[in-house]
Amino acid sequence: MKSIRSFGGNICLTAVLSLLAGLFAPASAEGYKEPPQEITDIVLRAPSPRVSVSPDGQNLLLSIRESLPPVAEIAKPMEKLAGLRLDAATNDRHQPRGTIGLALKNLASDALTPIALPKNADIDQVSWSADGRYVSFTMTGERSVGLWVLDVEKATAKPVIRNGVNPIFRASRWLPDGRLLVFTVPDKRGPRPVRSLTPRGPAVSDATGGEKAQTRTYRDLLKDPHDEVMFEWLATSQIVTVDVKGSRKRKIGQPGLYISASSSPDGQYLLVKNLEKPFSYQVPWYRFGQRSEIWTPTGKIAATVANQPLADNLPVNGVVTGRRNVRWHPTEPNLLLWAEALDGGNPKTEAAFRDKLMVLAAPFAGEAREIFRLEDRYREVDGIQDSSSLIVTDYDRDTREIRRQLIDLDGATPKILEFRNFRDEYADPGEPLTTRTKSGKFVARVEDGHIFLKGDGASPDGYRPFLRSLDLETLETTELWRNSGENYERIVGLAAGDGAFVTYYEDPKTPGNYRLHEGDNARMVTDFPDPHPELTGIHREVITYKRKDGIDLSATLYLPKGYKEGDKLPVVIWAYPYEYSDAATAGQVRTSKYRFTRISRYSQLFFLTQGYAVMSSTAMPVVGADPDTVNNTFIEQIVASAEAAIDETVRRGFGDGKRVGVGGHSYGAFMTAHLLANSDLFRAGIARSGAYNRTLTPFGFQSERRTYWEAPESYYRLSPFTAAHKIDEPMLMTHGANDNNSGTHPQQSERMFAAIKGNGGRAKLVMLPHESHGYRGRESVLHTLAEMIEWFDRYVKPEDAVTSD
């Protein structure tokens, strides 16, 4: 009998039995690896700060970030409850710290002021006050979460609630009078629930009603009665208000399972949303029953405006019936706004109109008034500064068309501002540039009857971001500014001063920084250094080419430092497939050739340091007019796209058409497995955090709208697992052992590895402890890069193909 070997030696009898049973037990632990030193040095450098512009346009807030946290930090105990991952020790979301410091940059004086904060600061939920005078943020300690406020004028920060904040759904929100509404842990909630060795009872899921309940493969759901008790203990909050000095702290209402609370623009009412029992073991918290109530400022319930039952039986891509997305009209004193389905919430139901918009004013006791009907599904609504008009967006899931209309509350004929295929970026007119009202609501900024639109400016030449004004009366647009020259620059926000604005600027040799435009003058206002100067000299180029069926394709080509024209390099093709309605949309260029090459975390671009050429964002379009059947030709189309990409490497002279590897993450991993199973184009592949057996995601995946029972042949054919016997090129799989992404359960990679190995193929599976769908731990990221480099160095880079291990 041929010996069975693991990566590190002979495996035990238990693992053999598990393998024979169709399961996979991870091989022996080899310890964490590190990639070549030049890669490690880059990975461990701290990233540039995040930057936001104050509402008054006078300051920038810099959020200082640290490098990757150690795995030990993400390995802390977590509670997986109702689709959430929670840290019971601090009563917070389970996540490594991201922001460790703050600084203010005054745009007028150029003064940069670091903010004094405690050592080992762990900052989250940063929020400007409406007037730009203050910034609130949470500070997580070892045992609890506090709420701090930064006084911008004084450049000092202090706690207003030192501990006991409950940020699981929302830590705080600014009120129109400048106070803060805060979710806190109830004073007398009792001790943490302890799981009894004697079960409270069985976990029961009931489907005796005969209704369809087509749910996705959600992760981290409630499993039993103890989970329900633990979720309620952690998620229950007491709402309080407090001023910026930390005084006048006052409780509002009674403790409850509150998920949001927002003030009416006039400050006279609160819209409070809370979860209702019974909970479910089949869906996450946001599909539990929800009640929306109107409170007075003292916490008295003035009205219940919506009472949605548990939504565990929605059709695929469906919505609840009744009142949903209840919110305040942003510029009216106290007017509620919501959507209601006219098609029963089922997108497959034929209907002239799918949704209607309703409004109801204080005292919220009369009949609601319909103000507009939408042909397609309501998507979002934006307010307009100093106006009661609204910009309403709906979306057709079948045609992928998005429609944006300007409507009035009085029922006047709407004006269509935008109507295009959602994927047609060349036709994108831009998004409204927003400002804050005095009550803190975001609305489209208006000057002299014009709103401002910012957009990416996608074109055959690549992204050319712009700023336009739109006349709300005539709908005529005027271009105020557009990115030009051999650089990439996009609008970030408006600054103080007539016509002043802030942009993010970079070019192939200059890392991203922020720039202030004042009239015809522009100057840099930050000076973040090159994160990896040792890579200066990398060649970056946006290339275009055609697929054999005539569809235009594009990719961002990177060539290593010191590349000489004519040299033949090993090539990495990295991609993620998308669906499109037509060839013209599929062929659009969606990047800029003038961007700075930034490499971080476990990017495929690290292959450049090892002498590879990399084609990143390689177009793999799947084109079909009917979204219900577009996946029927998924395999043929991605193979044709891969073939065209490889041909282009040969035509341009940097590739030999043989030493080519393919890779992708998530749906890109799914694509990688298909390419290895259904073509002989590549020497090897890398598939990270993928899904390979579509019968395990039977109620749709990605853009697939049919269920397994409606299209069993497609699900079978679209499962690389069923073609594992055809994968005769080596495939490296990595997967977070704690992946919480819907559809990419770690079992997907475990089963795929067992299938390839069981059919005599060559594969390696790396299960990363404590990691989720994306990898965050320092050791995990470095190990992933080490495995990737080793894999392609072994199977792709050699002049002669490796045919056996």
Side-chain angles (χ1 to χ4, degrees):
M1 177 179 177
K2 184 178 179 179
S3 63
I4 301 176
R5 295 183 298 117
S6 70
F7 300 132
N10 294 329
I11 57 176
C12 65
L13 178 60
T14 301
V16 175
L17 294 176
S18 296
L19 183 60
L20 293 176
L23 302 175
F24 170 70
S28 60
E30 299 176 344
Y32 286 106
K33 298 178 181 179
E34 289 193 2
Q37 190 61 47
E38 62 267 28
I39 295 178
T40 300
D41 291 343
I42 294 171
V43 170
L44 297 184
R45 287 183 192 139
S48 298
R50 290 192 180 95
V51 175
S52 65
V53 183
S54 63
D56 60 8
Q58 296 183 17
N59 294 282
L60 300 182
L61 179 68
L62 279 60
S63 297
I64 314 302
R65 299 180 288 168
E66 69 174 350
S67 182
L68 297 169
V71 166
E73 189 169 327
I74 64 175
K76 293 177 181 178
M78 72 169 64
E79 302 291 331
K80 301 178 181 180
L81 303 168
L84 297 171
R85 294 187 164 184
L86 306 177
D87 185 341
T90 57
N91 215 106
D92 195 0
R93 296 286 181 105
H94 188 284
Q95 57 192 1
R97 70 176 188 169
T99 300
I100 60 173
L102 299 172
L104 286 168
K105 174 81 172 186
N106 184 273
L107 291 174
S109 67
D110 264 349
L112 178 65
T113 308
I115 306 301
L117 294 170
K119 184 180 179 181
N120 297 321
D122 184 354
I123 298 165
D124 199 12
Q125 298 200 30
V126 178
S127 176
W128 285 98
S129 64
D131 56 11
R133 294 175 59 193
Y134 301 98
V135 178
S136 67
F137 56 93
T138 60
M139 181 77 75
T140 302
E142 291 185 4
R143 299 290 181 183
S144 187
V145 179
L147 184 70
W148 287 54
V149 169
L150 163 62
D151 184 317
V152 174
E153 183 178 0
K154 297 178 180 178
T156 59
K158 67 177 184 178
V160 294
I161 298 180
R162 191 167 292 276
N163 52 58
V165 172
N166 190 343
I168 287 176
F169 291 113
R170 178 70 183 254
S172 65
R173 188 183 291 272
W174 289 99
L175 295 172
D177 62 5
R179 292 179 301 147
L180 284 155
L181 183 148
V182 189
F183 284 16
T184 64
V185 174
D187 293 334
K188 299 179 181 179
R189 69 171 176 177
R192 174 178 173 175
V194 177
R195 183 179 290 277
S196 173
L197 296 177
T198 303
R200 292 172 177 264
V204 178
S205 298
D206 191 349
T208 57
E211 295 180 336
K212 290 184 178 181
Q214 300 175 341
T215 58
R216 296 269 183 163
T217 50
Y218 297 113
R219 299 295 315 282
D220 302 336
L221 301 178
L222 299 176
K223 299 183 293 296
D224 54 37
H226 171 77
D227 278 1
E228 295 188 54
V229 173
M230 190 68 185
F231 173 68
E232 191 168 7
W233 185 81
L234 285 166
T236 296
S237 294
Q238 169 67 59
I239 298 176
V240 304
T241 57
V242 66
D243 65 18
V244 296
K245 296 180 179 179
S247 58
R248 293 195 297 150
K249 182 178 176 182
R250 185 161 62 95
K251 292 182 181 179
I252 304 293
Q254 298 300 312
L257 282 168
Y258 305 120
I259 57 175
S260 71
S262 61
S263 172
S264 58
D266 64 2
Q268 297 303 303
Y269 299 96
L270 293 174
L271 171 60
V272 180
K273 299 181 181 180
N274 55 287
L275 299 179
E276 294 273 84
K277 292 183 177 180
F279 300 146
S280 171
Y281 298 168
Q282 307 301 315
V283 294
W285 67 270
Y286 51 83
R287 289 178 61 172
F288 290 177
Q290 293 186 19
R291 187 173 71 253
S292 298
E293 298 171 337
I294 302 300
W295 291 9
T296 66
T298 61
K300 180 182 178 181
I301 299 176
T304 298
V305 295
N307 206 336
Q308 281 290 347
L310 176 67
D312 63 348
N313 60 350
L314 298 182
V316 175
N317 297 133
V319 298
V320 297
T321 56
R323 298 174 177 181
R324 74 179 198 276
N325 299 107
V326 183
R327 55 166 293 174
W328 294 110
H329 187 297
T331 57
E332 291 291 300
N334 46 46
L335 185 68
L336 286 173
L337 172 72
W338 66 80
E340 290 184 33
L342 295 170
D343 59 0
N346 190 341
K348 292 187 177 181
T349 299
E350 293 292 333
F353 297 95
R354 297 215 171 271
D355 277 329
K356 62 180 178 180
L357 289 183
M358 308 291 291
V359 293
L360 180 64
F364 316 107
E367 291 292 324
R369 178 168 65 92
E370 180 181 324
I371 61 169
F372 193 60
R373 292 200 167 198
L374 298 97
E375 292 182 37
D376 299 309
R377 187 68 69 211
Y378 166 81
R379 186 164 182 163
E380 61 184 0
V381 62
D382 296 297
I384 299 176
Q385 186 179 19
D386 301 326
S387 170
S388 63
S389 296
L390 297 166
I391 300 173
V392 180
T393 305
D394 61 350
Y395 176 70
D396 187 328
R397 71 158 204 152
D398 293 326
T399 63
R400 299 190 179 93
E401 288 174 331
I402 188 172
R403 181 190 292 107
R404 188 172 273 128
Q405 301 178 79
L406 178 66
I407 69 168
D408 292 323
L409 295 182
D410 59 9
T413 302
K415 297 179 179 179
I416 297 179
L417 305 180
E418 176 184 357
F419 185 61
R420 64 180 174 92
N421 186 296
F422 181 68
R423 296 285 195 195
D424 184 2
E425 293 196 36
Y426 288 3
D428 185 357
E431 296 284 328
L433 201 60
T434 61
T435 187
R436 297 266 192 100
T437 65
K438 292 182 179 179
S439 62
K441 309 297 183 185
F442 285 93
V443 293
R445 177 166 174 168
V446 176
E447 287 185 10
D448 299 325
H450 294 72
I451 63 172
F452 299 93
L453 303 174
K454 65 173 182 176
D456 290 328
S459 71
D461 185 46
Y463 284 147
R464 286 298 191 183
F466 60 78
L467 177 66
R468 295 170 179 163
S469 67
L470 170 69
D471 188 314
L472 292 174
E473 183 63 34
T474 66
L475 302 187
E476 293 181 355
T477 60
T478 303
E479 190 161 284
L480 305 175
W481 172 88
R482 181 177 284 268
N483 171 217
S484 62
E486 296 184 352
N487 59 73
Y488 171 81
E489 192 172 10
R490 59 177 170 80
I491 299 288
V492 173
L494 298 176
D498 187 25
F501 57 93
V502 177
T503 62
Y504 176 83
Y505 175 96
E506 64 185 16
D507 63 43
K509 296 182 179 179
T510 307
N513 272 281
Y514 292 81
R515 203 175 185 210
L516 175 64
H517 290 253
E518 298 174 300
D520 294 330
N521 299 316
R523 61 184 174 88
M524 303 301 294
V525 291
T526 64
D527 187 22
F528 304 141
D530 187 336
H532 34 64
E534 60 267 55
L535 297 182
T536 300
I538 285 176
H539 174 82
R540 183 181 189 273
E541 179 184 0
V542 177
I543 62 174
T544 57
Y545 49 99
K546 285 186 181 291
R547 204 163 75 179
K548 61 184 178 182
D549 58 3
I551 289 179
D552 291 320
L553 303 176
S554 64
T556 304
L557 169 64
Y558 298 86
L559 296 174
K561 181 178 180 178
Y563 172 73
K564 296 179 180 178
E565 188 172 352
D567 286 353
K568 306 296 183 185
L569 302 177
V571 178
V572 176
I573 291 179
W574 204 268
Y576 189 99
Y578 290 96
E579 296 77 22
Y580 300 91
S581 302
D582 58 84
T585 303
Q588 292 183 356
V589 177
R590 295 174 173 84
T591 186
S592 168
K593 58 187 174 183
Y594 299 121
R595 300 203 68 169
F596 179 77
T597 301
R598 181 176 294 273
I599 307 178
S600 61
R601 296 182 71 186
Y602 43 88
S603 170
Q604 64 276 9
L605 297 184
F606 278 110
F607 278 107
L608 292 165
T609 68
Q610 306 303 304
Y612 291 79
V614 178
M615 288 179 67
S616 191
S617 301
T618 309
M620 294 280 175
V622 182
V623 183
D626 185 353
D628 283 336
T629 60
V630 64
N631 272 337
N632 289 356
T633 57
F634 178 93
I635 294 172
E636 291 81 2
Q637 294 201 51
I638 63 168
V639 169
S641 294
E643 205 168 36
I646 294 173
D647 287 347
E648 187 67 9
T649 72
V650 175
R651 190 188 73 80
R652 288 179 175 266
F654 62 85
D656 58 15
K658 298 176 182 178
R659 294 186 297 158
V660 188
V662 64
H665 191 94
S666 194
Y667 207 52
F670 169 76
M671 170 210 73
T672 296
H674 270 304
L675 288 170
L676 295 183
N678 295 285
S679 78
D680 291 313
L681 297 170
F682 301 97
R683 281 192 176 179
I686 297 172
R688 298 190 316 223
S689 300
Y692 310 102
N693 186 343
R694 286 307 175 188
T695 67
L696 298 177
T697 56
F699 293 108
F701 57 89
Q702 205 73 1
S703 64
E704 177 58 59
R705 294 163 183 179
R706 300 166 295 181
T707 69
Y708 167 77
W709 296 272
E710 292 170 328
E713 298 85 1
S714 292
Y715 273 72
Y716 179 87
R717 188 166 181 263
L718 286 171
S719 295
F721 177 82
T722 64
H725 62 293
K726 298 195 298 180
I727 296 180
D728 53 7
E729 296 88 10
M731 186 163 78
L732 169 67
M733 288 180 283
T734 65
H735 212 120
N738 217 6
D739 193 336
N740 67 339
N741 183 56
S742 176
T744 55
H745 191 287
Q747 182 187 60
Q748 290 273 2
S749 288
E750 293 169 348
R751 293 287 193 264
M752 189 65 183
F753 174 84
I756 295 173
K757 183 169 183 176
N759 283 282
R762 287 172 292 170
K764 186 174 185 178
L765 173 59
V766 178
M767 301 298 293
L768 298 165
H770 308 294
E771 294 291 351
S772 187
H773 193 58
Y775 320 142
R776 298 178 296 178
R778 182 183 309 155
E779 296 91 335
S780 301
V781 168
L782 293 175
H783 187 95
T784 298
L785 289 169
E787 295 282 5
M788 290 168 57
I789 299 296
E790 287 179 9
W791 197 254
F792 277 1
D793 275 359
R794 183 178 188 181
Y795 293 112
V796 174
K797 182 179 278 188
E799 294 288 346
D800 297 321
V802 177
T803 57
S804 62
D805 292 338

